[in-house]
Amino acid sequence: MHLLKNGLAGWQDGSEFDLVVIGAGGAGLSAAVFAAIDGAKVLVVERTEYVGGTTAWSAGTTWVPGTHHASAVNPSDNLAAVTTYLNHAVGAQAPAALREAFLKNGAQAVAQIEAHSSMKYRPYPKHPDYISDLPGSTLNGRALEPLPFDGRLLGDLFALLRPPIPEFTVLGGMMVDRNDINHLLAMTRSWASLKHALRILGRHLRDRLTHVRGTRLVMGNALVGRLLHSLSQHAHATLALKTSVEALERDASGRVVAVRLSSATGKARVLAKHGVVLASGGFNRDPALRSHKLPGIPAEWCPGAPGHTGQALALARALGAAEGQGAQSPAFWAPVSLRPRPDGSTAVFPHFVMDRAKPGMITVNQAGERFVNESTSYHLFALGMQAAQQAIPAYMVADAKALRQYGMGMVRPGGKGLAPFLADGYLTQGDSLQALANKLGISASGLAQAVADNNAFAQTGVDSQFQRGVTAYQQNIGDAAAGGRNPNLGAISEGPYYAVKLYPGDIGAAQGLQTNEHAQVLNADGQVIEGLYAVGNDMNSIMGGVYPAPGITLGPGLVFAYLAVRHLMAAAPASQV
């Protein structure tokens, strides 16, 4: 792979590639790897100094039903059941033809990238679909995770991989996934957990002798590391960092045939013989589009990586590209908490599964009242915050026992080291519920009633207000080992009491450019803009703004990258550029 680490210094106009990919996140790198596997000459353009985008910060879960991995954990699952599930979950909020293309080609896309690159997946033993009470849902087999990856194999390229969110690491840069966390918490009670913990801790200590952070990569960092390693094995691939796209050029027939690029070190016009693939990450950091699509949601609440400014989307719209319509929401969501860092930046921590759904925790609004099922998916939780009254911010409340057991956001389990979190206001403590409510400025009587109701529900195992803990998904992110009647319900009774403020954070774009089943971008009349493709969050979500399962951005990102490359490489190259 040819690397342009500092922009376009020394480049001349007229360099020619089979395709140009705009964006080096998960979808963009996947498209580049598929193209390189086919022997294509590919250029990847990335505006930041890192590769990986938000994918590098994610769990890396990739939802692709029907792969050869599924049979290992769920041999009875089939695509007919998946279709039924998505028809119920998504329905008319996105074109059924695109879901069909995704399901029809998913297994082949996974098989090809695993057979011809460093990308390797494994199925989760149990990872239910999020709306698990709908027909066709399943408990496992559809969600894949990347195998951990040894970042040392990247050599000097390791420095180009976007580091994980610091608050998601331990011991100065050691990445841990959910399996690691469970072993670390159980290391004093289980010989198997102790061995696992000692193994990853020893590896990290060795890493820190020669690296600024751990090189054992998991989750999204492992996914991106594997894709980058795969691309680096191809001499006909080029990666240009710190480079932006200024224009998309068309020939006399209207086909996109070239891009104009700019960087601090130069400019260039690059020819794209077969096409351009947009994978720039979506609109979420475009101030104008945020104001229009996400009113009242500051960019400071977005936990996505920098770089997806919407510039590439604007260039596509200038060519007549149309946006998808009819979605449940223009974005995907999660509740987030905020904390200032010593360097002046703000940590934005998404609350996915580790705390809010656990027994001994509830979430209330400013009236001290519950307003949502705390164990629903993070997407529906944050949508619930926006729909409710006085729920921005909301307050996740726990007693001392729950804090010790599960932690709260950036506060680790164990109940130790609370002083810095209390000092900067991230964590609020009260010796009584009344004291906690007074410090938060919320209704003390409302909070007292919410806690009393929760404690009664914990006794019976039935939440008559919001039906918490009734589906397989909700139960999976609870704690069955807690010994209660319901794995998501537990008494809040042991002082002191704690709270963390939550805000609705957009974790990715659901609304993007309308495409067909080949990922070709369409105009307002539904006609193809030849030579222009969109994948990842630049492509309008095939899920219609619904979040039916884990990894429903990365899965379609991978599959439509495969479909886009297959289609564009089969097309005749542009004759006039």
Side-chain angles (χ1 to χ4, degrees):
M1 181 182 74
H2 182 47
L3 175 64
L4 301 174
K5 190 175 179 180
N6 294 299
L8 301 170
W11 259 38
Q12 300 296 319
D13 281 353
S15 296
E16 184 176 271
F17 293 87
D18 290 312
L19 73 157
V20 177
V21 179
I22 308 300
L29 287 175
S30 295
V33 170
F34 280 124
I37 290 170
D38 286 347
K41 186 179 180 183
V42 57
L43 168 66
V44 182
V45 178
E46 168 58 41
R47 67 180 296 123
T48 73
E49 70 272 31
Y50 293 117
V51 301
T54 299
T55 301
W57 284 357
S58 74
T61 306
T62 305
W63 197 73
V64 184
T67 68
H68 62 282
H69 292 293
S71 60
V73 293
N74 193 355
S76 64
D77 195 22
N78 57 70
L79 294 186
V82 186
T83 299
T84 297
Y85 176 62
L86 292 179
N87 286 345
H88 279 84
V90 179
Q93 294 174 108
L98 270 67
R99 298 199 296 273
E100 181 180 351
F102 167 65
L103 296 178
K104 181 180 178 181
N105 294 280
Q108 189 173 353
V110 170
Q112 179 165 337
I113 201 166
E114 285 193 311
H116 300 287
S117 80
S118 303
M119 193 67 240
K120 298 292 182 287
Y121 295 100
R122 64 188 176 194
Y124 278 91
K126 186 176 182 182
H127 210 335
D129 294 332
Y130 285 176
I131 318 175
S132 57
D133 53 340
L134 289 182
S137 68
T138 191
L139 299 180
N140 52 13
R142 300 171 184 175
L144 309 176
E145 67 174 336
L147 290 178
F149 182 65
D150 186 350
R152 295 172 297 189
L153 297 176
L154 291 170
D156 293 341
L157 295 178
F158 180 69
L160 306 183
L161 178 61
R162 183 173 295 281
I165 298 172
E167 291 73 22
F168 272 52
T169 67
V170 298
L171 300 177
M174 185 176 86
M175 295 196 70
V176 290
D177 59 17
R178 186 161 30 170
N179 182 55
D180 298 329
I181 292 171
N182 290 334
H183 280 301
L184 289 169
L185 292 175
M187 60 185 293
T188 60
R189 304 188 304 272
S190 163
W191 176 243
S193 291
L194 178 61
K195 288 194 295 183
H196 182 93
L198 290 175
R199 184 169 61 251
I200 63 174
L201 289 169
R203 164 69 182 273
H204 181 64
L205 290 175
R206 292 192 299 273
D207 280 346
R208 289 310 306 273
L209 296 176
T210 54
H211 295 82
V212 296
R213 66 180 179 97
T215 62
R216 176 182 175 267
L217 307 182
V218 297
M219 302 188 297
N221 242 228
L223 190 153
V224 174
R226 288 181 172 277
L227 290 173
L228 179 59
H229 183 263
S230 301
L231 192 65
S232 72
Q233 305 305 300
H234 295 273
H236 44 281
T238 299
L239 172 63
L241 300 177
K242 301 180 184 177
T243 301
S244 299
V245 56
E246 283 192 339
L248 301 172
E249 293 189 5
R250 294 190 287 187
D251 64 11
S253 71
R255 176 175 177 172
V256 175
V257 293
V259 295
R260 289 194 177 273
L261 305 174
S262 67
S263 72
T265 57
K267 296 188 176 186
R269 179 177 181 267
V270 175
L271 307 180
K273 289 173 57 179
H274 290 272
V276 174
V277 179
L278 302 181
S280 67
F283 70 83
N284 297 70
R285 296 204 181 275
D286 180 317
L289 289 179
R290 283 194 69 87
S291 177
H292 173 65
K293 298 177 185 292
L294 311 177
I297 308 296
E300 290 75 18
W301 299 354
C302 174
H308 46 289
T309 64
Q311 181 181 5
L313 298 177
L315 296 175
R317 290 195 302 272
L319 301 184
E323 290 187 330
Q325 302 296 323
Q328 179 191 69
S329 172
F332 297 117
W333 300 91
V336 301
S337 55
L338 313 175
R339 188 183 186 218
R341 293 187 178 119
D343 64 3
S345 64
T346 299
V348 184
F349 188 97
H351 294 251
F352 291 133
V353 299
M354 298 305 295
D355 48 23
R356 59 182 174 80
K358 297 296 192 291
M361 295 190 179
I362 60 173
T363 300
V364 300
N365 63 12
Q366 291 148 38
E369 300 168 345
R370 291 178 66 214
F371 60 91
V372 71
N373 180 339
E374 294 91 342
S375 302
T376 193
S377 74
Y378 40 87
H379 177 69
L380 292 177
F381 187 108
L383 285 178
M385 294 178 69
Q386 296 172 70
Q389 297 294 318
Q390 298 181 289
I392 303 177
Y395 304 88
M396 182 172 61
V397 176
D399 69 357
K401 178 182 177 182
L403 177 71
R404 289 194 306 269
Q405 186 72 25
Y406 310 113
M408 294 182 77
M410 301 182 215
V411 179
R412 309 290 189 193
K416 306 295 184 180
L418 302 185
F421 298 96
L422 294 169
D424 63 23
Y426 177 76
L427 184 68
T428 303
Q429 175 184 306
D431 290 336
S432 65
L433 291 173
Q434 172 84 46
L436 181 66
N438 290 343
K439 288 185 178 181
L440 296 175
I442 67 175
S443 168
S445 61
L447 178 60
Q449 186 62 55
V451 169
D453 290 343
N454 170 81
N455 292 352
F457 298 153
Q459 286 289 323
T460 64
V462 178
D463 174 5
S464 60
Q465 287 182 323
F466 295 98
Q467 293 73 53
R468 183 173 174 182
V470 301
T471 72
Y473 166 74
Q474 294 172 31
Q475 293 165 9
N476 188 55
I477 61 173
D479 184 7
R485 293 177 180 268
N486 183 320
N488 301 100
L489 294 173
I492 299 173
S493 57
E494 180 184 329
Y497 302 92
Y498 299 93
V500 169
K501 291 181 182 178
L502 300 180
Y503 302 84
D506 50 300
I507 59 175
Q511 186 178 50
L513 302 177
Q514 189 61 60
T515 66
N516 64 13
E517 64 274 18
H518 304 298
Q520 291 176 286
V521 175
L522 307 178
N523 64 21
D525 297 324
Q527 301 300 308
V528 167
I529 300 176
E530 296 289 348
L532 188 61
Y533 299 76
V535 298
N537 288 354
D538 282 358
M539 174 185 176
N540 195 57
S541 170
I542 67 169
M543 303 300 176
V546 178
Y547 217 115
I552 53 85
T553 55
L554 294 183
L558 172 77
V559 176
F560 282 96
Y562 166 75
L563 290 172
V565 170
R566 187 174 69 175
H567 186 269
L568 70 84
M569 289 305 298
S575 58
Q576 293 183 358
V577 292

